[in-house]
Amino acid sequence: RMLCRIDRIYLSKVIIGNNPKSEWHNILSHKWIYDRCREHERNPDGYLDLSPGGHFKSSVAVKLSIIQEHLVNPMTSICLFAYEVDFAKKTLLFIKQVYENNEDLKALFPEIFYGSLNPAKQTGTGGWTSDSLMLKPIVEATQSFPSLTVASIGKGKTGYHFDKIYFDDIVYRDNATPMRMRQMRGEITGAFSTLNQGADSIRRFAFVGTRYHKDDPYQWLMDQKMVIPRVYTTTDNKKLD
């Protein structure tokens, strides 16, 4: 139980990817991805992680991170923002399938997951859908906010208050226009308004993405010192040559 909560390598290779042919078993054998896992474990909040596509940043910094958040504190309420809600729904679907079908995880944490029971029936209307899920402790406590819900940037959840929010690939080729980049600054500020302030007034959030425009919201976030950047390029020396 403790290893699942603190070690993303163990969680991904032994629990989620327990089949040696599983993508989750294989991708984390790469030293670069291993290093990113350890980096995120040490500092999960307040960072902007930028790297090219195909570098498993969403796997490490979003999917595994959300699962660990729920294992550590199943009362945590999370919102995942993306460029399009359908993209965020794919992440939610993956996490739901892990929670529904991973027998090792269900056996290790019977107080969190529903075992052999149907989650949709146990949570009631709206508790286990294509855009949200509620874990057993939240349902038993009759908490109104979901364990995880998803939204597209600019179309947040009115009236919700989350313990942590993730922004996963909110900038993409199709929306990287100067006007859309400026609009998104206000939308990010609006998303921040849904955050609860925890102990010591700390607001918990994480950005993960790839750059497609020099004046994108990521640059604005860095200029305003709202995030701590972690930037990785496709070259070892971070130069074009």
Side-chain angles (χ1 to χ4, degrees), residues 30-202:
H30 195 289
K31 184 180 184 303
W32 191 89
I33 304 174
Y34 176 94
D35 290 341
R36 300 292 73 72
C37 277
R38 296 306 185 215
E39 186 174 55
H40 284 272
E41 287 167 352
R42 291 191 298 269
N43 298 292
D45 298 331
Y47 281 77
L48 164 61
D49 287 282
L50 295 173
S51 62
H55 281 58
F56 299 99
K57 55 186 177 295
S58 295
S59 299
V60 171
V62 179
K63 293 174 183 175
L64 287 175
S65 178
I66 289 173
I67 292 172
Q68 279 194 323
E69 289 285 349
H70 286 153
L71 298 181
V72 171
N73 181 3
M75 294 296 290
T76 299
S77 183
I78 295 169
C79 185
L80 170 61
F81 289 94
Y83 158 45
E84 290 183 342
V85 70
D86 287 344
F87 177 80
K89 283 183 177 181
K90 291 179 182 179
T91 298
L92 174 66
L93 177 61
F94 169 82
I95 293 173
K96 283 174 61 179
Q97 290 174 337
V98 170
Y99 291 174
E100 290 173 350
N101 303 321
N102 191 288
E103 299 301 328
D104 292 334
L105 205 60
K106 291 191 289 185
L108 285 167
F109 298 92
E111 75 280 12
I112 296 178
F113 304 109
Y114 295 98
S116 60
L117 300 175
N118 185 330
K121 291 183 178 179
Q122 298 302 308
T123 56
T125 303
W128 202 268
T129 67
S130 64
D131 63 1
S132 68
L133 64 85
M134 298 180 76
L135 297 172
K136 188 189 291 186
I138 282 185
V139 173
E140 293 175 348
T142 64
Q143 178 173 310
S144 58
F145 301 137
S147 304
L148 174 62
T149 190
V150 296
S152 60
I153 189 70
K155 297 181 180 178
K157 301 287 186 175
T158 304
Y160 281 65
H161 297 283
F162 301 105
D163 300 307
K164 184 171 182 176
I165 54 178
Y166 291 79
F167 299 85
D168 188 9
D169 280 330
I170 57 172
V171 177
Y172 207 64
R173 292 184 184 92
D174 297 345
N175 71 347
T177 63
M179 181 178 294
R180 187 70 188 96
M181 296 300 95
R182 290 192 294 271
Q183 289 174 340
M184 209 175 289
R185 297 176 186 179
E187 293 166 356
I188 291 171
T189 302
F192 274 132
S193 69
T194 67
L195 265 177
N196 289 323
Q197 287 195 344
D200 301 321
S201 297
I202 295 174

